[in-house]
Amino acid sequence: MSFRNSTATDYVEDVSPGSGALPPRAWYPASDATSLSLNGSWRFRLSPTADAEDDAFAEPGYDAGGWAEVSVPGHWVLQGHGAPAYTNHLYPFPVDPPRVPTENPTGDHLRFFDLPAGWDGTAGGAVLRFDGVESCARVWLNGTDIGEFKGSRLPHEFAVGQLLKPAGNVLAVRVHRWSAGSYLEDQDQWWLPGIFRDVTLLHRPPGAALDFFVHASYDHTTGQGTLRVDSDVDGRVSVPALDIDVATGEAVTVPVEAWTAETPRLYDAVLATEGERVPLRIGFRTVELADGLIKVNGKAVLFKGVNRHEWHPERGRALDQETMLADVLLMKRHNINAVRTSHYPPHPAFLDLCDEYGLWVIDECDLETHGFTEQAWRDNPVDDDRWTPALLDRAARMVERDKNHPSVVIWSLGNEAGTGRGLTAMAEWIHGRDASRLVHYEGDIDCRDTDVYSRMYADHAEVERIGRELDGGTHKRRRLPFILCEYGHAMGNGPGGLADYQRIFESYDRLQGGFIWEWIDHGIKDDRYEYAYGGDFGEELHDGNFVCDGLVFPDRRPSPGLVEYKKVIEPVGVEGDGTTVRITNKQDFADLSALAFEWSYQVDGETVEAGTLAVPALAAGESAEVKLPEPPAVPGGGEARWTVRALLAAGTAWGPAGHVVAWGQIPVSARQSPSVAASAAPVSGAGRITLGPAAFDARSGALLSIGSVDVTALRLDVWRATTDNDDGAAWQSDIRYAALWRKFGLHRMRHRLDAVETDGDALTVRTRVAPAAWEFGLATVYRWTSDGDRLGLTVSVTPDGDWTVPLPRLGIRFGIPAADRVRWFGGGPEEAYPDTRSAALVGRWESTVDGLQTPYVRPQENGARADVRWAEIGGLRIEGDPEFWFTARRWTTEQLDAAAHRTDLVAGDTVWVNLDHGQHGIGSQSCGPGVLPPYQLHADPSEFTFVFTDIG
Ligand code: GAL
């Protein structure tokens, strides 16, 4: 038994990857060899520094009775010991590589275990596997120091057979929050120390498998697959469905069904060595760079992807199987076909799910050194040979672990680590080890080491230039395909402009799609705030809610951004002219046989007839014109449209029969605009003016009631609670409007009354709406009329002065007494804004007021419904000419604007309604381009009408 100096902690700040671990190898979930999960409750002691405690705790017989307990897998900071901390790219400690602070929370973990009955400790060996520990661990078994390691999201195995006893084994693991490895793990996420993935003891009988590499290619010209399994331990490979039974190392070619993300055909197989039978799931497919394109099985693929961090609002990055499956099912149901495992290899079981359900994967190495950008990348570890062994160790641990997954088509060296020799060494090693996949790294702008030109957040115009091959760059880069490894920053309300990107992707072969940033909000469940974000744990440095920028909320409820993305990337195109519909199969491989089509015909939003539509099983890329039935005759006419839907014809592994995959709407006849024949005249008396059902204050012209409904403070409104995209990121060099809007006082507009006029059949109120300190404003005239029953309002807005910014919104707002149900005819069911409206389906919808709210983790403008013809709320029916944006909430815009967390929003007695003629677009400027010109709301002369009816 050997002990080091009991307080030796040099390894913590050592640039080397560690010592004592076995060479990396392929991961598989199970085999016929016994294994023992060491997950569960462990004894735990937290100390403030790496060397506060000696290593006596690792010795058998140590009394840990007074220690706390933590769950493994888990992060101790999410289990009541210390606190999480969030920074985007800044290191939360002084940058002095490889040194880390003396304050280095260190968690000592103890697990006691017996070997299961039948585990013959004498026959063969045993391996202790850690699937993930952040950030650095030293391990003892039964008092023997077996090594230490870094590389948080990578597996580490140790040979421990000689140390095991049938009973009373003591596994001791000392985990340090900070280490030299932290310099390589500066991803934009919470810093969360702990043993956060499984710990397993694997019996290794004599003749058990070691490493093996499944090579399973597909020749699309012959329809044949070739299988060869190279194995460190000789054995046989059998694939019963293909009648294959060959020796390892031997190639065999047979007709097969290929694996693709659309058709994830896997063949069950067994690798049998003398001592072990390992079940395999084999997918035949060939990835290549050909004709300047990423091709799989001879065809170019279009990535409709997301960046996925591992996240659970209570367990952090310690994900269970159900959570991983939930992600995969949600992605498949939202038409997503690709995942970049930003920014580290995920739990290995996630890749099994990608193989099974069908997702293309860019598997990214656990490497980011972004904080060095603050010092112009000086001392960047990726350009310092002392660190290269650690980089190569990380590359090897990723590739060896994940190389047998058909879903993995591209290896990524890491993220935002600058450039340097270490990255080149990684790329060379990976190319040498696995020529069957491509290599990606966004930071390699010249593509010296990579096979794909990749960028993040490039704007639409630039992506289009790249598509047209007008972007220049090195000779090598100009020959490569292009992907946006990150775009569409999904922080808060948004992202806007996705449909515009998709149109560009679909127009140029070279553009092979992109990956939305990102999948999930990393909010932490918290009694104080519902969900906490950066700064909520008293961090001295943090980046606030920048950690909440996902397409799903922390609880995985889809946000409107995901619904929009699903529509934008739908695999079937539906367009038409009223008599025929053009159906396009936008998939890369599968035909349409898995889908059934339905038509329905709506008049004024009500379905009057529906039926099935016979669509041929078009091959990938094909289109057909399909005749629609004769439109049903509807007495009285009305606004009519077809809705055509593509649904799953039968249940699949990821969705039930009837699940809607794609849809389109085809207008047939236009709507009749509402109007009020002004026949009632305003009547003045007792300080009031009455006009049909309405009463006004005679002096101010303010509307007081419509029939039985009291109305508060109806007036022009231009303000919205700025979104994360309005606010923009501080480093964005282009104009960020939220700051200018506040500077110009659009959140504190003053309303000057110029005249209240009753002439003939109208009440006219003239005002000027303008902010203090500035000379520009909006001359605003409210013209009220009535037919005795209904009340009409026409608002005319004439800008004056020099308006240099767009308006956040333009419309009216007013309060009504508490109301609950809302019905409307227009876009729904979810919120929409000018550049996030693809998924708004025109129809009749119903909701509660609370149901209209989109619960962004940091509250902000939300909940507008697009193209509303009419809405009913609180006893009022409101019709618009033209269609309007409808919003209703139980708090004011000012309260929404001031809120930092969901819990700051407290419902009042008044429901505030906004009826907007215009909304400024959303864009993606929280990290990326702003609102494209067609979606900007400029201060132009405008006129819009509403008709109110008391339906009390
Ligand atoms: C990218 C980075 C991501 C994330 C994103 C902004 O630069 O790769 O990790 O920080 O910006 O949310």
Side-chain angles (χ1 to χ4, degrees):
M1 209 161 281
S2 79
F3 276 96
R4 303 180 186 207
N5 169 350
S6 62
T7 54
T9 55
D10 296 353
Y11 61 95
V12 174
E13 295 181 320
D14 181 350
V15 297
S16 87
S19 63
L22 292 165
R25 63 179 183 124
W27 188 94
Y28 46 94
S31 75
D32 67 346
T34 314
S35 69
L36 175 66
S37 169
L38 297 176
N39 294 347
S41 186
W42 289 47
R43 288 290 182 172
F44 178 76
R45 171 182 68 188
L46 184 63
S47 42
T49 63
D51 60 359
E53 300 284 353
D54 65 20
D55 51 16
F57 78 105
E59 293 233 49
Y62 179 86
D63 178 10
W67 287 27
E69 290 187 14
V70 290
S71 299
V72 170
H75 305 279
W76 71 71
V77 290
L78 298 183
Q79 299 183 52
H81 306 276
Y86 166 59
T87 56
N88 168 7
H89 76 279
L90 296 178
Y91 286 103
F93 46 78
V95 180
D96 181 17
R99 304 296 310 277
V100 294
T102 302
E103 299 92 344
N104 188 357
T106 291
D108 290 331
H109 297 68
L110 278 175
R111 176 72 151 90
F112 310 98
F113 63 93
D114 300 337
L115 293 180
W119 180 310
D120 180 358
T122 56
V127 161
L128 177 63
R129 183 173 74 201
F130 295 91
D131 282 316
V133 182
E134 177 170 334
S135 87
C136 168
R138 184 175 170 191
V139 187
W140 297 260
L141 183 60
N142 292 332
T144 300
D145 179 358
I146 60 173
E148 91 288 327
F149 63 90
K150 307 180 191 83
S152 299
R153 297 109 203 171
L154 292 163
H156 299 269
E157 289 185 329
F158 297 88
V160 294
Q162 72 290 359
L163 299 173
L164 287 173
K165 308 184 284 192
N169 293 286
V170 182
L171 176 59
V173 186
R174 170 163 285 176
V175 182
H176 307 283
R177 185 168 201 174
W178 310 120
S179 70
S182 305
Y183 283 96
L184 305 182
E185 296 173 7
D186 190 26
Q187 294 94 342
D188 174 6
Q189 61 179 347
W190 294 99
W191 298 89
L192 295 177
I195 305 175
F196 72 98
R197 286 186 190 156
D198 309 292
V199 183
T200 317
L201 186 69
L202 303 161
H203 185 217
R204 307 284 61 218
L210 275 169
D211 189 26
F212 52 90
F213 198 159
V214 176
H215 302 277
S217 59
Y218 179 74
D219 181 340
H220 65 280
T221 62
T222 62
Q224 303 225 320
T226 297
L227 175 67
R228 192 188 79 234
V229 178
D230 293 335
S231 174
D232 286 359
V233 176
D234 290 343
R236 290 197 75 76
V237 179
S238 58
V239 190
L242 295 174
D243 273 335
I244 291 176
D245 182 3
V246 287
T248 53
E250 211 174 276
V252 49
T253 300
V254 293
V256 297
E257 290 171 44
W259 188 96
T260 74
E262 294 168 9
T263 56
R265 178 68 163 105
L266 291 175
Y267 289 92
D268 286 318
V270 174
L271 164 65
T273 61
E274 188 201 326
E276 189 178 15
R277 290 173 61 81
V278 182
L280 307 177
R281 305 200 76 193
I282 296 176
F284 291 87
R285 52 115 192 87
T286 292
V287 184
E288 59 181 338
L289 184 63
D291 310 318
L293 298 173
I294 304 164
K295 291 193 180 177
V296 180
N297 304 338
K299 285 188 168 181
V301 292
L302 184 61
F303 294 123
K304 300 166 176 178
V306 287
N307 281 280
R308 175 182 179 271
H309 267 288
E310 296 185 303
W311 189 249
H312 185 280
E314 287 160 283
R315 296 190 297 275
R317 288 189 286 274
L319 257 54
D320 56 18
Q321 191 74 21
E322 295 84 81
T323 307
M324 294 185 234
L325 180 60
D327 278 350
V328 169
L329 294 179
L330 269 171
M331 288 176 190
K332 292 293 287 186
R333 290 174 188 165
H334 288 87
N335 295 333
I336 287 163
N337 73 1
V339 180
R340 172 176 177 234
T341 69
S342 55
H343 296 302
Y344 40 81
H347 188 290
F350 178 75
L351 298 176
D352 285 340
L353 296 172
C354 294
D355 294 344
E356 181 175 342
Y357 291 88
L359 287 164
W360 307 115
V361 175
I362 298 183
D363 195 0
E364 189 151 275
C365 198
D366 190 6
L367 172 63
E368 173 158 343
T369 63
H370 201 174
F372 285 88
T373 188
E374 294 295 322
Q375 52 197 59
W377 297 101
R378 263 191 319 283
D379 295 322
N380 184 2
V382 309
D383 201 22
D384 178 336
D385 293 339
R386 289 172 300 171
W387 291 83
T388 303
L391 303 187
L392 289 172
D393 180 73
R394 285 169 188 248
R397 286 186 188 282
M398 169 179 73
V399 171
E400 301 302 5
R401 190 193 78 166
D402 296 342
K403 60 186 179 287
N404 295 331
H405 291 282
S407 56
V408 175
V409 291
I410 297 178
W411 300 116
S412 176
L413 304 180
N415 185 59
E416 297 187 311
T419 53
R421 301 185 298 271
L423 289 163
T424 302
M426 290 170 82
E428 280 171 359
W429 184 87
I430 295 174
H431 276 129
R433 175 65 178 143
D434 180 18
S436 74
R437 293 178 175 95
L438 309 184
V439 170
H440 166 272
Y441 173 59
E442 181 267 348
D444 182 11
I445 189 78
D446 293 332
C447 303
R448 280 166 25 129
D449 301 324
T450 53
D451 305 312
V452 186
Y453 176 30
S454 171
R455 293 278 303 282
M456 47 174 77
Y457 308 109
D459 65 25
H460 300 75
E462 184 179 8
V463 173
E464 180 137 31
R465 274 200 306 282
I466 295 169
R468 289 182 190 277
E469 302 179 23
L470 299 175
D471 59 308
T474 57
H475 277 285
K476 180 174 173 209
R477 189 177 94 181
R478 280 185 257 160
R479 294 195 307 269
L480 294 182
F482 177 79
I483 62 167
L484 273 174
C485 69
E486 293 179 26
Y487 81 113
H489 198 250
M491 184 180 184
N493 188 335
L498 295 184
D500 307 85
Y501 273 115
Q502 197 64 26
R503 268 193 295 277
I504 298 170
F505 293 158
E506 290 178 9
S507 303
Y508 303 95
D509 290 345
R510 185 188 188 194
L511 308 180
Q512 294 199 263
F515 296 78
I516 297 288
W517 186 268
E518 63 176 303
W519 174 242
I520 186 167
D521 286 343
H522 312 207
I524 296 181
K525 198 157 166 42
D526 187 292
D527 291 342
R528 299 166 298 169
Y529 306 121
E530 208 167 320
Y531 291 108
Y533 51 75
D536 289 340
F537 300 97
E539 302 104 293
E540 63 176 9
L541 269 187
H542 67 83
D543 290 286
N545 68 317
F546 202 64
V547 78
C548 290
D549 52 2
L551 292 174
V552 298
F553 294 112
D555 60 0
R556 294 188 154 69
R557 166 181 161 173
S559 82
L562 180 59
V563 179
E564 172 78 2
Y565 193 44
K566 174 188 177 184
K567 177 76 180 103
V568 163
I569 59 176
E570 60 191 7
V572 180
V574 179
E575 300 150 312
D577 62 6
T579 55
T580 62
V581 59
R582 186 174 182 77
I583 304 289
T584 305
N585 180 356
K586 296 174 146 191
Q587 298 176 105
D588 295 322
F589 299 93
D591 68 19
L592 292 188
S593 56
L595 302 180
F597 288 78
E598 280 180 8
W599 62 267
S600 56
Y601 189 80
Q602 285 86 27
V603 177
D604 292 334
E606 303 263 34
T607 296
V608 294
E609 232 178 282
T612 57
L613 193 69
V615 174
L618 302 171
E622 281 183 2
S623 293
E625 297 283 343
V626 179
K627 188 132 181 48
L628 288 164
E630 274 303 306
V634 180
E639 180 184 355
R641 61 173 37 74
W642 298 99
T643 302
V644 173
R645 290 184 169 87
L647 332 154
L648 286 181
T652 67
W654 52 266
H659 164 83
V660 177
V661 168
W663 56 270
Q665 287 191 307
I666 302 155
V668 177
S669 56
R671 131 182 213 251
Q672 282 255 284
S673 298
S675 64
V676 172
S679 52
V683 179
S684 306
R688 291 272 190 280
I689 298 171
T690 53
L691 176 62
F696 298 82
D697 178 74
R699 199 179 39 76
S700 64
L703 176 67
L704 301 173
S705 58
I706 303 171
S708 58
V709 183
D710 290 337
V711 177
T712 319
L714 184 149
R715 56 195 202 176
L716 192 81
D717 192 12
V718 298
W719 184 242
R720 72 183 184 196
T722 56
T723 64
D724 292 314
N725 286 312
D726 291 336
D727 292 337
W731 60 83
Q732 295 282 155
S733 54
D734 34 356
I735 301 168
R736 294 186 288 138
Y737 284 122
L740 286 177
W741 288 339
R742 284 182 209 275
K743 171 180 165 192
F744 290 134
L746 300 194
H747 60 313
R748 49 175 173 76
M749 297 293 267
R750 296 286 152 181
H751 298 247
R752 186 185 73 206
L753 181 63
D754 291 338
V756 179
E757 301 164 354
T758 50
D759 51 4
D761 49 20
L763 166 65
T764 304
V765 181
R766 299 182 188 281
T767 66
R768 186 173 187 275
V769 183
W774 301 98
E775 66 167 355
F776 48 80
L778 301 168
T780 303
V781 179
Y782 307 84
R783 187 166 187 276
W784 299 93
T785 55
S786 175
D787 59 6
D789 225 15
R790 307 191 301 155
L791 178 70
L793 166 64
T794 297
V795 183
S796 310
V797 179
T798 311
D800 81 62
D802 192 10
W803 278 90
T804 55
V805 288
L807 297 169
R809 66 164 9 119
L810 181 69
I812 57 167
R813 124 160 126 163
F814 55 93
I816 53 173
D820 191 30
R821 307 293 315 175
V822 184
R823 296 175 64 223
W824 76 98
F825 172 30
E830 296 264 11
E831 77 181 19
Y833 289 82
D835 53 351
T836 64
R837 57 182 296 162
S838 310
L841 182 88
V842 175
R844 297 244 190 146
W845 304 103
E846 271 193 60
S847 171
T848 58
V849 171
D850 290 338
L852 293 175
Q853 316 307 310
T854 306
Y856 294 111
V857 171
R858 186 192 73 81
Q860 53 197 276
E861 166 64 26
N862 72 85
R865 299 310 193 266
D867 295 323
V868 176
R869 280 84 167 143
W870 55 256
E872 292 175 356
I873 181 169
L876 282 183
R877 177 180 170 93
I878 306 154
E879 294 160 86
D881 180 23
E883 293 84 359
F884 58 98
W885 303 89
F886 174 81
T887 309
R889 47 175 77 104
R890 294 180 194 280
W891 33 80
T892 62
T893 295
E894 290 68 24
Q895 288 165 330
L896 185 60
D897 203 12
H901 294 93
R902 290 181 184 177
T903 45
D904 293 337
L905 293 171
V906 180
D909 292 337
T910 302
V911 169
W912 292 95
V913 177
N914 275 88
L915 309 178
D916 289 311
H917 178 59
Q919 273 274 359
H920 187 61
I922 296 296
S924 189
Q925 222 181 357
S926 55
C927 187
V931 176
L932 291 173
Y935 312 117
Q936 296 180 1
L937 178 65
H938 291 286
D940 292 326
S942 329
E943 194 168 277
F944 44 96
T945 296
F946 302 106
V947 177
F948 300 89
T949 314
D950 173 9
I951 53 168

